[in-house]
Amino acid sequence: MNRHSILVAALLLALSLTACGRQAPGTGATDSPKAQTFRWKLVTTWPKNYPGLGTAPENFARMVERMSDGRLHIKVFGAGQLVPALEVFDAVSQGTAEMGHSSAYYWKGKIPASPFFTSVPFGLNVQEMNGWLHYGGGLELWREAYAPFNLIPFAAGNTGVQMGGWFNREINSLADLKGLKMRIPGIGGEVITRAGGEAVNIAGGEVYTAMQTHVIDATEWVGPYNDLAFGFYQIARYYYYPGWHEPGPSLELIVNKQAFDQLPADLQAMVEVAARAVNQDMLDEYTARNNQALVELVQKHGVQVREFPADVITSLHSITLQVLQELADSDELAKRVYESQQAFEKQAEAYHEISEAAYYRIRKE
Ligand code: CA
């Protein structure tokens, strides 16, 4: 390389650096927030890379990495890797991690209204939940509920209607729920307790052992695709439907407020858009894989699929309405959230009766 070509090469290098905005320190360019790289931690309630629930935060992190060209790098931690599964809320609130992926109803001891932001029994389905959150005032209420904890929530995944759960005995009447120890969080757990059972809240990764050692007699988890991965068919024979307790559960992405405020506007927008994309993507994956997994559970593993008897469902429904009313009466925010959700459900249901429900009926005929 002669002197002239060295000069040309140096000039081209300088031009390309300028074009990329990566001037040497002291030029002022490094002060621009767009030149700054952020390295964040995202803690989750799910085992690392667990199908569906655990892959959602991984997809989210990858999307943000690509959209931001590496300016916002997010490292995802499975349950117990940085903090235990049910300490995600506190960890993000205190800034131990900048982000978390979990479910709002795990925090009902801190925020009485929180179950409404995941799912309440006999409540909104997935379409209605997404409609209420994004166009019905739900997300504003959720942000109000989390603001005192220094957190900004986003919807980030929804499983659709879940299964009723795994039982080591048949449920033929309400009497069969008496003394039943079941892993079931949120309002559904309260309803099972009032129906004579005993609700236990334990993280997913510990459920298998609890069933196997007879610490619990039953567990709800998600649906066929997720439940197959946990191997619940090895420890319980009866698989009940429908998931009356979680008809459209929304998962959450929570972000530490100070951390979010430090991001430039374009990275904030990427977080928001990636959360919305993951929210839809999870439902798409469950829709594609749930029935394949159900066929495998029945044909390969001999699982007995059962529908809850109608009178059991009727009783659970009436207990649910009592529990929700008591919750609303006990907490001002819970009351506003419940009323907002009820009003939304009423109007959405009126149209769904002549759209979704009517369509299912004609397709079967
Ligand atoms: Ca569940």
Side-chain angles (χ1 to χ4, degrees):
M1 196 181 272
N2 63 30
R3 193 159 170 264
H4 175 72
S5 58
I6 290 171
L7 277 172
V8 169
L11 184 63
L12 284 173
L13 181 65
L15 279 172
S16 69
L17 285 175
T18 307
C20 294
R22 288 174 186 155
Q23 293 100 326
T27 61
T30 48
D31 296 330
S32 159
K34 292 200 175 174
Q36 203 177 339
T37 295
F38 296 84
R39 301 185 73 81
W40 278 17
K41 298 188 221 32
L42 193 170
V43 290
T44 74
T45 300
W46 332 113
K48 180 81 177 162
N49 284 318
Y50 180 68
L53 303 180
T55 49
E58 305 283 348
N59 290 340
F60 170 83
R62 261 196 304 276
M63 257 183 250
V64 171
E65 176 90 25
R66 282 178 66 195
M67 285 196 280
S68 69
D69 195 21
R71 287 164 51 219
L72 178 51
H73 176 81
I74 299 166
K75 185 172 183 194
V76 180
F77 294 85
Q81 290 185 320
L82 191 64
V83 297
L86 299 180
E87 286 178 23
V88 166
F89 186 96
D90 288 342
V92 182
S93 176
Q94 290 156 12
T96 308
E98 290 83 1
M99 290 183 146
H101 192 258
S102 191
S103 286
Y105 66 2
Y106 291 131
W107 326 127
K108 85 173 164 142
K110 301 175 199 294
I111 304 173
S114 75
F116 291 106
F117 304 115
T118 303
S119 197
V120 295
F122 302 96
L124 305 180
N125 72 5
V126 55
Q127 283 163 291
E128 292 160 354
M129 188 67 183
N130 282 326
W132 175 69
L133 284 173
H134 300 117
Y135 288 92
L139 192 58
E140 286 80 2
L141 288 164
W142 197 357
R143 297 212 163 143
E144 182 186 337
Y146 278 28
F149 298 90
N150 203 29
L151 294 170
I152 304 172
F154 298 83
N158 196 306
T159 65
V161 178
Q162 296 201 349
M163 283 292 283
W166 297 86
F167 293 76
N168 63 12
R169 59 184 192 237
E170 283 189 272
I171 305 298
N172 295 316
S173 71
L174 209 58
D176 292 320
L177 294 178
K178 296 268 181 283
L180 184 93
K181 285 182 91 170
M182 180 169 186
R183 181 268 176 199
I184 173 168
I187 303 290
E190 176 66 27
V191 173
I192 284 293
T193 299
R194 293 210 195 176
E198 187 185 331
V200 183
N201 187 13
I202 49 178
E206 297 155 28
V207 174
Y208 184 98
T209 308
M211 277 295 277
Q212 198 177 32
T213 54
H214 305 288
V215 170
I216 54 174
D217 309 303
T219 182
E220 73 81 49
W221 183 236
V222 179
Y225 174 49
N226 266 186
D227 297 4
L228 175 66
F230 262 160
F232 292 138
Y233 59 86
Q234 294 160 5
I235 43 162
R237 187 160 180 222
Y238 302 103
Y239 197 22
Y240 272 87
Y241 72 91
W244 57 275
H245 63 301
E246 290 185 35
S250 187
L251 301 176
E252 66 179 11
L253 179 81
I254 46 176
V255 186
N256 178 279
K257 187 171 183 306
Q258 277 79 42
F260 192 74
D261 288 346
Q262 280 167 16
L263 293 180
D266 64 333
L267 293 185
Q268 289 180 341
M270 288 173 207
V271 168
E272 197 167 335
V273 169
R276 199 71 188 268
V278 162
N279 195 46
Q280 181 63 44
D281 184 71
M282 185 186 288
L283 182 67
D284 298 346
E285 189 181 13
Y286 282 111
T287 302
R289 302 197 198 284
N290 265 334
N291 200 61
Q292 295 168 0
L294 185 64
V295 169
E296 187 175 335
L297 285 169
V298 172
Q299 293 184 355
K300 192 169 161 194
H301 303 298
V303 167
Q304 303 281 312
V305 177
R306 295 274 193 279
E307 183 174 10
F308 285 118
D311 60 333
V312 169
I313 289 292
T314 304
S315 300
L316 294 174
H317 196 168
S318 80
I319 296 171
T320 294
L321 296 177
Q322 284 169 26
V323 172
L324 292 178
Q325 193 54 55
E326 286 171 27
L327 175 59
D329 291 343
S330 73
D331 183 77
E332 185 274 330
L333 181 60
K335 184 179 171 66
R336 277 192 288 131
V337 178
Y338 184 39
E339 286 173 356
S340 167
Q341 221 172 56
Q342 269 187 319
F344 190 89
E345 181 181 325
K346 210 171 165 200
Q347 59 93 21
E349 194 176 57
Y351 178 62
H352 276 172
E353 187 52 42
I354 61 165
S355 56
E356 308 298 322
Y359 177 68
Y360 274 138
R361 284 194 297 273
I362 62 162
R363 194 166 63 177
K364 277 183 183 162
E365 282 162 5

